[in-house]
Amino acid sequence: MLSFLIVNFPFSFSIYADDLSSDSKDKTSSWYSDFKVVPFGFVSDSIGNSIGAAGLLKGAGQPQAALLGAAFVSDKGSYMTYLGGYNYQVSESWLFNFDGYSAQFKDYDYYLGVNSSNDSHFKDSVITDGQESRLQASFRYVLPIGLG
């Protein structure tokens, strides 16, 4: 039996640069950022009882850029971390994105080979420890449509 429960705590906060400084600045300038954090918890047969948090920082270094991070730990010794940066302008028409993920799962159910099909059964799983990681980067070209 798979039990899965997500608990989302209604908690977030914003930090504005003018809250930290007595100078009155325009919130549209490049130094302005918005920061949100959401803690969470969930229960899973495979991962166990877990707690974590996710956060978003808008305007991270550039007004259109954002950083997103998330992490959780479980009572079975599993964990996951994620960090991504999006929409960093490297030239007039090029944007750069990156993200990284690292996780370790203890006593996790994996469905491998022929047991990975849609008609596999719960007893077909292999229970083992696993480590996963990924780094990724991409560039996007923005067409200069609408430039006079």
Side-chain angles (χ1 to χ4, degrees):
M1 181 173 116
L2 176 68
S3 65
F4 193 80
L5 169 71
I6 294 180
V7 178
N8 186 5
F9 302 99
F11 168 74
S12 69
F13 61 91
S14 299
I15 296 176
Y16 301 103
D18 60 348
D19 293 339
L20 304 174
S21 170
S22 61
D23 295 335
S24 176
K25 303 254 185 188
D26 178 20
K27 288 186 178 181
T28 61
S29 69
S30 64
W31 58 264
Y32 168 76
S33 66
D34 191 12
F35 182 64
K36 301 283 186 191
V37 173
V38 178
F40 60 87
F42 63 92
V43 177
S44 166
D45 286 343
S46 296
I47 297 175
N49 302 315
S50 303
I51 59 169
L56 174 68
L57 175 62
K58 295 189 317 185
Q62 296 178 353
Q64 77 289 345
L67 284 175
L68 173 67
F72 74 79
V73 295
S74 79
D75 61 352
K76 290 175 73 174
S78 297
Y79 69 85
M80 185 278 307
T81 58
Y82 175 85
L83 179 64
Y86 305 98
N87 295 328
Y88 283 93
Q89 188 171 8
V90 293
S91 73
E92 188 172 315
S93 297
W94 286 95
L95 297 176
F96 176 67
N97 300 318
F98 66 89
D99 63 4
Y101 159 81
S102 178
Q104 179 175 316
F105 300 108
K106 297 285 188 177
D107 299 328
Y108 195 74
D109 297 324
Y110 287 95
Y111 294 86
L112 307 171
V114 296
N115 295 330
S116 63
S117 66
N118 286 337
D119 62 349
S120 63
H121 299 283
F122 183 73
K123 64 181 175 158
D124 295 334
S125 68
V126 174
I127 300 174
T128 188
D129 296 345
Q131 287 188 316
E132 301 177 11
S133 62
R134 182 191 78 191
L135 292 173
Q136 177 175 292
S138 64
F139 287 91
R140 289 185 297 152
Y141 182 78
V142 179
L143 294 173
I145 297 173
L147 288 178

